[in-house]
Amino acid sequence: PRSTLFPYTTLFRSDTPDGPCNNPPSSNLNGGPLSNSNSTDSFAATTGPAPQLRAPHQNAATTLPAPGPEAPKFTSLVRALPFPPDYAPSSFSFPACDPATATQVFMVNHLSGTLTRLNSCGETTIAVIPVQSNPLQVAVTPDGSMAIVTSFDNAITFIDTSNNQVLTTISTDFDINPSGIAISPDGTRAYVTSFNNVDSAVLVVDIQQAQIVSQISVDTYPQSIFLSPDGSVAYVTFPFGNLVRLIDTQTGIVFGALQIEETYGVAFNSTGTLAYITSQAPSGSIQVVNTSTYSIVQSIPLTVPPDEIKMTPDDQWLYINSYTGNAAIIINVASGQMLTTTSSAPLHGLAIVQ
C-alpha cells in the first residue's frame, strides 16, 4: 500500500544470481587518442566544470583518453551484463485493478531469447514474442506503437505492439553486440550501445527505416545509454571504466566525460538540470551532476552497490536497485532521508507507476 512517506507504487523484480560484475577492472583509460566516427574532434574527460560550450554542445578539440589494452576476463564480462533468468509468474498478491486499463510491461528473457508482454494487473502474460538469442534490453517508442529489443548476438528487433509481431530485425556485423538502448523523445531515433572491446560504438538507428545511419566511437564495453529529457545529450555508462561519456545527439560528437567509477544507471529530474548517476565504487554512491556545467555537485553514499535508478515525476523521490546487495533504496531528494530494504534475492528491473 502507498504511504505518506513513500507515495508512489514501485515495481521491483526479484531474480537469482549472475548480476552485475563484482570486481571489474579499475580503469580502462591507459591508451592513445580516441576518434569519433562523425568527427575528427576529440575531447578530454573532466570531473570539474566542462569547457565552455557553443550550442549545441560544441567545444574546442582536446585529447580524449582511449581504453587500455587490458580486457576483462570472460567471467567478469558476462557478469557485467544483467542476465536475469526467464520470467516466471510470482505468487505475489496485487491490489484491485482493471486489466482493461492497467499498464503493460515488456520484459526480455535472456536465456530463452524471447520478449514477454505482461498486464500489470496481476502480471498476466499477454504474449511471448521470439527475438534473436541473448536479448538484453527493450525500449518502447513514445507513442507506444513499437518495442525495440537489443540482442547481444548481433541483432536489433522491431516489434509491432498492436499485434505483438516482429516487424523486422537488423542483423549487425559479428563484432557489433547490441546492449543498451534509448529512444529520442520524438521517436525518430534509437541509440544502441555495442558491448564489446572491438570498435566499440554507439549506433544511431533510424526507427522508421529500421536502419543504422551512423556509429559513434566510444571506449570499450559501453553498457547502457540514457538521454536527457530533451534528448539533446546521451549519457553512456561503462561498468569496467571510470567514466560516463557525453554525446551531443545533434552532431554525434563525444564532447566530454564524467570521471565516475563503475557506472550503471542514470536518472534525471524533470527539467533535466540534474543527473543522478549510480556508481558501484568503492562501496556504492549516487553522483549528482549539474547538467549545465557537467560538474559533480553532490555525492550520496550508500551501503550497497547501486544499479538501476529512477526519479519520480515530481522530483521528490529516488528509487534504486542493488542487484548484488539484494536491496532496494528510496531517497527523499529534499531531505536526504534514506530507506534501505533488503530482499531475499537479487533485484533486477525497476519501474515507477503513477
Side-chain angles (χ1 to χ4, degrees), residues 13-17 83-88 107-111 323:
R13 182 182 174 207
S14 178
D15 286 325
T16 49
F83 292 162
D86 288 356
Y87 168 78
M107 183 180 296
V108 295
N109 302 310
H110 178 76
L111 298 180
Y323 193 102

Side-chain angles (χ1 to χ4, degrees), residues 318-339:
L318 282 170
Y319 290 79
I320 303 100
N321 270 356
S322 175
Y323 193 102
T324 57
N326 291 10
I329 306 160
I330 306 173
I331 300 175
N332 183 307
V333 175
S335 68
Q337 181 184 10
M338 184 183 307
L339 174 66

Side-chain angles (χ1 to χ4, degrees), residues 201-215:
V202 172
L203 314 177
V204 182
V205 178
D206 183 311
I207 293 177
Q208 184 176 8
Q209 300 298 323
Q211 293 181 350
I212 298 172
V213 294
S214 64
Q215 297 186 27

Side-chain angles (χ1 to χ4, degrees), residues 35-41 43 56-58 191 202 204 214-218 232 246-255:
S35 64
N36 296 298
S37 61
N38 288 0
S39 173
T40 57
D41 293 340
F43 299 84
H57 309 294
Q58 299 179 34
Y191 298 87
V202 172
V204 182
S214 64
Q215 297 186 27
I216 304 168
S217 297
V218 293
S232 65
L246 305 171
I247 300 174
D248 182 334
T249 59
Q250 296 181 49
T251 64
I253 292 175
V254 180
F255 69 88

Side-chain angles (χ1 to χ4, degrees), residues 18-194:
D18 278 347
C21 173
N22 291 320
N23 296 294
S26 59
S27 176
N28 67 343
L29 302 177
N30 300 316
L34 172 67
S35 64
N36 296 298
S37 61
N38 288 0
S39 173
T40 57
D41 293 340
S42 56
F43 299 84
T46 175
T47 53
Q52 293 296 315
L53 305 180
R54 298 192 299 272
H57 309 294
Q58 299 179 34
N59 57 318
T62 53
T63 302
L64 178 66
E70 180 182 3
K73 295 180 181 179
F74 180 74
T75 301
S76 296
L77 169 60
V78 171
R79 289 182 61 80
L81 288 166
F83 292 162
D86 288 356
Y87 168 78
S90 69
S91 58
F92 294 151
S93 60
F94 295 88
C97 54
D98 181 359
T101 59
T103 302
Q104 296 190 3
V105 177
F106 291 88
M107 183 180 296
V108 295
N109 302 310
H110 178 76
L111 298 180
S112 65
T114 59
L115 179 73
T116 299
R117 184 173 186 172
L118 306 170
N119 189 306
S120 63
C121 184
E123 287 197 10
T124 54
T125 299
I126 297 172
V128 177
I129 307 163
V131 295
Q132 178 65 26
S133 56
N134 291 326
L136 290 175
Q137 294 189 23
V138 59
V140 178
T141 54
D143 64 3
S145 65
M146 190 181 303
I148 305 176
V149 179
T150 61
S151 292
F152 187 82
D153 291 348
N154 320 116
I156 303 170
T157 303
F158 297 75
I159 297 167
D160 185 340
T161 59
S162 68
N163 57 18
N164 301 315
Q165 297 297 310
V166 172
L167 290 168
T168 188
T169 298
I170 297 176
S171 295
T172 65
D173 293 340
F174 73 94
D175 57 352
I176 297 294
N177 303 107
S179 172
I181 182 170
I183 295 176
S184 62
D186 63 4
T188 63
R189 291 286 189 269
Y191 298 87
V192 176
T193 60
S194 175

